[in-house]
Amino acid sequence: SLARKPRSQMSSYATSSESPKLLFRQLFEKESSTYTYLLADVSHPEKPALLVDPVDKTVDRDLSLIKDLGLKLIYAINTHVHADHVTGTGLIKTKSPGVKSIISKASNAKADRFVEAGDKIWFGDLFLEVRATPGHTLGCVTYVTGDGPDQARPRMAFTGDALLIRACGRTDFQIFTLPKDTLLYPAHDYKGFTVTTVGEEILYNPRLAKDEETFKNIMKNLNLAYPKMIDKAVPANMVCGLQDVAPEAI
Amino acid sequence: SLARKPRSQMSSYATSSESPKLLFRQLFEKESSTYTYLLADVSHPEKPALLVDPVDKTVDRDLSLIKDLGLKLIYAINTHVHADHVTGTGLIKTKSPGVKSIISKASNAKADRFVEAGDKIWFGDLFLEVRATPGHTLGCVTYVTGDGPDQARPRMAFTGDALLIRACGRTDFQIFTLPKDTLLYPAHDYKGFTVTTVGEEILYNPRLAKDEETFKNIMKNLNLAYPKMIDKAVPANMVCGLQDVAPEAI
Ligand SMILES: [Fe+2]
Ligand SMILES: [Fe+2]
């Protein structure tokens, strides 16, 4: 079991990010326990918005919320090629033709735009920075809110499956180089958690608070079940949610 | 259908609250789609914390998170006598004997402390204010974060079942007298939404954006199913989660 470190080592407790420009919403898809994130620059006249990891089943909910809030969706972004749900990207592009899809170059999937470590994805005066966090898949990236006076404080990181709250994480530990008060938003949670921080996971993540050898053994002994949607989801997600595939084909 | 008001009428877009003192976490129980809220004053040496609407099934998760964060739980609070899940209050009191339970006087349920409109529930230098929002049940209250320089901005309201995001609401409309940027956190959500604002619900809540007569007709025509857990949950919750009942009795 984990040795409990004294409280004084816990980093800042901020658990929400403040920016006069950023609108932020966390959205949940129950069947696959997937979180989708909506971010927008509401100080910009066009209110440009992006979605991180949209799910096919909740596209209508997401687009309707975006409409209610008077936002203009410009990007639909994936952290990786998901094996557990079908991305909403393709459906969004069908329903809202101006939207561009984004995924990492290393994912080998289709998209309108490919990103690599260090790239910036701008929406209005705000941006997401790309960090390579391979492990779960080779092409996994983490999107981190920008660093700067106008950007959200504390920073927010959308980790995909590279880091899950307390439970998972197959990553290069890059995430732990972010400031301790960085808010971590995973692609999934199966226990009802919505957010965590770098400081918390360093102390309490039962897998990542171990050295590399121990970590490898833990992962080997998990005997993870074959993901139930992998055979349907991966081929669909490789074409970034049906980029060039007729909707009736899936 | 709803007449769409121009964007300029949408209120402030802040969708997270900032306070150097407040630690805030939203937690989800999937089976009953219930949200539990953790609030703590982390600037106070004891880090006093409270839980709003804890669920019996997720008590261990909640207590373990509270331990991880180095908080001291002092109150377990209900917005009303729930019909859809068993409150975690009784179990929390068993596992963490210092904790006091709170519910409204008008609920007629058991608890260590009863509150009425206007009462303040202090935790450290932060407090929740009680507002009467009867309708869903006679004893429904909404807990609103304090107004003042040290308190969270924008304010946050824990509405219980008095207001659900876009979907429901049997209330005296008291909630709509709060500032438009007030963040509204419901006891449940069945579509994966996590938060809304007063401004948003005034414009888009399909039931509450109607006059009283229309609202009554909508509710009458819903033909709501008999809540599946009501026969088990209500008697248990009336004793505020087993206040004086042996655990094996349920
Ligand atoms: Fe995934
Ligand atoms: Fe309820």
Side-chain angles (χ1 to χ4, degrees):
Chain A
S1 77
L2 262 182
R4 177 80 188 286
K5 297 193 189 146
R7 285 177 195 188
S8 58
Q9 286 194 30
M10 277 298 289
S11 56
S12 159
Y13 278 94
T15 41
S16 67
S17 238
E18 186 69 352
S19 155
K21 294 176 182 291
L22 178 68
L23 176 144
F24 172 66
R25 289 287 167 96
Q26 183 170 25
L27 299 152
F28 189 60
E29 197 285 307
K30 243 177 140 174
E31 210 179 304
S32 61
S33 291
T34 300
Y35 282 120
T36 296
Y37 300 97
L38 171 66
L39 290 91
D41 179 354
V42 286
S43 70
H44 188 281
E46 297 221 306
K47 298 188 173 43
L50 54 83
L51 283 169
V52 177
D53 289 336
V55 177
D56 60 346
K57 287 175 187 157
T58 39
V59 160
D60 287 337
R61 172 200 65 187
D62 299 347
L63 293 180
S64 143
L65 177 64
I66 286 165
K67 193 181 163 220
D68 281 2
L69 295 167
L71 309 176
K72 186 190 172 193
L73 185 63
I74 59 169
Y75 292 127
I77 299 179
N78 280 295
T79 51
H80 65 291
V81 175
H82 301 279
D84 43 31
H85 66 272
V86 175
T87 176
T89 314
L91 207 53
I92 288 170
K93 284 170 60 71
T94 309
K95 297 192 174 213
S96 193
V99 178
K100 302 278 174 235
S101 59
I102 299 183
I103 201 163
S104 75
K105 204 170 175 174
S107 71
N108 273 320
K110 281 205 177 186
D112 295 315
R113 182 178 160 194
F114 300 101
V115 289
E116 293 182 281
D119 284 354
K120 287 178 179 167
I121 300 166
W122 288 92
F123 53 111
D125 299 321
L126 300 174
F127 65 89
L128 290 177
E129 234 179 68
V130 182
R131 303 227 172 178
T133 48
H136 172 68
T137 74
L138 213 64
C140 277
V141 294
T142 291
Y143 297 106
V144 188
T145 55
D147 203 8
D150 274 350
Q151 313 289 317
R153 299 294 322 165
R155 299 178 77 179
M156 304 157 82
F158 303 96
T159 58
D161 290 358
L163 186 140
L164 302 186
I165 300 169
R166 299 293 197 280
C168 189
R170 302 183 236 188
T171 174
D172 63 349
F173 299 73
Q174 243 255 20
I175 293 161
F176 287 176
T177 66
L178 289 163
K180 286 198 176 166
D181 61 359
T182 305
L183 299 166
L184 299 178
Y185 290 99
H188 304 284
D189 191 89
Y190 305 96
K191 290 184 180 167
F193 294 114
T194 55
V195 68
T196 185
T197 65
V198 168
E200 239 178 279
E201 294 306 311
I202 286 175
L203 288 180
Y204 300 114
N205 190 302
R207 298 186 197 162
L208 296 182
K210 303 275 191 282
D211 62 54
E212 212 180 314
E213 201 49 43
T214 317
F215 173 69
K216 278 185 191 162
N217 280 323
I218 293 173
M219 294 313 293
K220 212 185 297 171
N221 292 321
L222 279 181
N223 296 316
L224 288 171
Y226 192 67
K228 54 182 172 179
M229 282 197 58
I230 199 166
D231 295 319
K232 186 182 170 195
V234 169
N237 292 337
M238 282 302 285
V239 290
C240 216
L242 343 172
Q243 184 89 353
D244 298 320
V245 181
E248 57 276 17
I250 46 131
Chain B
S1 76
L2 261 182
R4 176 80 186 286
K5 298 195 188 143
R7 283 179 197 187
S8 57
Q9 284 192 32
M10 277 296 290
S11 57
S12 159
Y13 278 95
T15 41
S16 67
S17 239
E18 185 69 352
S19 155
K21 295 176 181 292
L22 178 68
L23 177 144
F24 171 67
R25 290 286 167 94
Q26 184 170 25
L27 299 152
F28 189 60
E29 198 284 308
K30 243 176 139 172
E31 211 178 303
S32 61
S33 291
T34 300
Y35 282 120
T36 296
Y37 299 97
L38 171 65
L39 291 90
D41 179 353
V42 287
S43 70
H44 188 280
E46 296 221 308
K47 297 186 172 46
L50 55 81
L51 282 169
V52 177
D53 289 336
V55 177
D56 61 345
K57 287 175 186 154
T58 39
V59 160
D60 287 337
R61 173 200 66 187
D62 299 347
L63 294 180
S64 141
L65 177 64
I66 286 166
K67 193 181 164 217
D68 282 2
L69 295 167
L71 309 175
K72 187 188 170 192
L73 186 63
I74 60 170
Y75 291 127
I77 300 179
N78 279 295
T79 51
H80 64 290
V81 174
H82 301 279
D84 42 30
H85 67 273
V86 175
T87 175
T89 314
L91 207 54
I92 289 171
K93 285 172 57 71
T94 309
K95 298 192 175 213
S96 193
V99 178
K100 302 277 174 238
S101 58
I102 298 182
I103 201 163
S104 75
K105 203 169 174 174
S107 72
N108 273 320
K110 281 205 176 187
D112 296 314
R113 183 179 159 193
F114 300 101
V115 289
E116 293 182 280
D119 284 354
K120 286 178 180 169
I121 301 166
W122 287 92
F123 53 110
D125 300 321
L126 300 175
F127 66 90
L128 290 178
E129 233 179 71
V130 182
R131 302 228 173 178
T133 48
H136 171 68
T137 74
L138 213 65
C140 277
V141 293
T142 291
Y143 298 107
V144 188
T145 56
D147 203 7
D150 275 351
Q151 313 289 317
R153 299 292 322 164
R155 298 178 78 178
M156 304 157 82
F158 303 95
T159 58
D161 289 359
L163 186 142
L164 302 186
I165 301 170
R166 299 292 197 280
C168 189
R170 302 184 237 189
T171 174
D172 62 349
F173 298 74
Q174 242 257 19
I175 292 161
F176 287 174
T177 66
L178 289 164
K180 285 198 177 167
D181 62 358
T182 305
L183 300 166
L184 298 178
Y185 292 98
H188 303 285
D189 192 89
Y190 305 96
K191 289 184 180 169
F193 293 114
T194 57
V195 69
T196 186
T197 64
V198 168
E200 239 178 281
E201 295 306 312
I202 286 174
L203 288 180
Y204 300 115
N205 190 301
R207 297 187 197 163
L208 296 182
K210 304 275 192 280
D211 63 53
E212 211 179 313
E213 202 48 45
T214 317
F215 173 69
K216 277 185 191 161
N217 281 324
I218 293 174
M219 295 311 294
K220 212 184 296 169
N221 294 320
L222 278 180
N223 295 315
L224 288 172
Y226 193 66
K228 54 181 169 177
M229 280 196 62
I230 198 165
D231 296 318
K232 187 182 169 192
V234 170
N237 292 337
M238 281 303 283
V239 291
C240 215
L242 341 171
Q243 184 90 351
D244 299 318
V245 182
E248 57 274 20
I250 46 130

